[in-house]
Amino acid sequence: MDFHPAEEQAAAVGLAARIFRDLATHERLAAAGTGSDAELWKALTAAGLIAAVEEVGLLGLVLLLEEQGRTTAQVPYAATCVYGVLPVARHGSPAQRARLLPALGTGEVVATGAFPARGRLTADPDGRLTGTAPAVPWLRDATHVLVPDAAGALWFVATDAPGVRISAVETTAPWAAGALSLAGARGERLGGPRAHDEVLSAARTAFAGLQAGVCAGSLARAVEYTSTREQFGRPLSTNQGVMLRAADAYMDTEAIRVTAYEAAWRIDTGLPAREHALTAAWWASEAGKRVVHAGQHLHGGMGADLDHPVHRHFLWGRQLDAYLGCGSELLAELGALVSDPVPAGAATPEEDDA
């Protein structure tokens, strides 16, 4: 395993860090409310940081999403990349890649995914989709949504197509989420029998990387606060209890980061990674909760202020925990996979997408 970023990955991360730091300020985030930041989205597309994901791979995307998470920047970056750029590049036909990838790279097409679908969506033989997805992140910003049907096939659906209805849903984090209702909406098939599981693993890994950034940002704020806030004539950070709580949060953050890196590296190199993606998701869910709670707790009474920047990390951390799935649910899926790695009827690695 080699987690050291390649030259192009490091350059992209440095550029992303500067853009997020300059534009995703506390004041701009507060003014954005629950919507996304259009100016920041334009800056990312102009810098080529969406199109670059095709080149830097999933590990590069995880590194980029860490930078987004540090600032809790309100743009549909993760959703567009894992439900648009990467699946189209990996599973799209030559015609789909030629048509969709340039539009995704420029931000003209904004994608999201109705994951996990939990069997609520079905497709008829003509490719018409019916069903609902109660909370899809960034759906109100999306021009297309990647929809998995009950059989595991993937469909790319335009949000303005006939039979598509979107209603606003407010989640814990301000992700411009929406409820998706399909009534005979026509979709465009994407990929073959292995596409669903590969997209799901990539999404779990990417959102785990986003959680690593959220936790790192929360911890950085806590370290800054406890190092400058004094009690009884000395900084709070010199209190042993504070140091131990921060150390535990640091170790949890590193566990999220390294499991996400490993899963991303394996996916990029074509190695089996479903268990590793589940492991990363579990760490992001379980440890992520602990870290953002610790970050808020270490701010003392200031942590209870809903307008304080650390509270935004708390909201994002809890939302990512819910989106990835509770720890027991992920562990149950992981246990079933370990005990029966190739369920009956599933495609084997030797099968292609045709």
Side-chain angles (χ1 to χ4, degrees), residues 155-171:
W155 305 87
F156 216 44
V157 180
T159 55
D160 62 355
V164 178
R165 185 167 62 86
I166 295 171
S167 54
V169 171
E170 297 304 338
T171 58

Side-chain angles (χ1 to χ4, degrees), residues 165-222:
R165 185 167 62 86
I166 295 171
S167 54
V169 171
E170 297 304 338
T171 58
T172 304
W175 286 3
L180 176 68
S181 177
L182 303 177
R186 185 172 292 281
E188 179 181 4
R189 181 70 185 271
L190 185 69
R194 293 175 55 201
H196 174 273
D197 286 350
E198 291 185 8
V199 170
L200 180 58
S201 291
R204 283 170 164 163
T205 303
F207 279 99
L210 184 61
Q211 181 76 300
V214 170
C215 292
S218 174
L219 183 57
R221 291 188 181 280

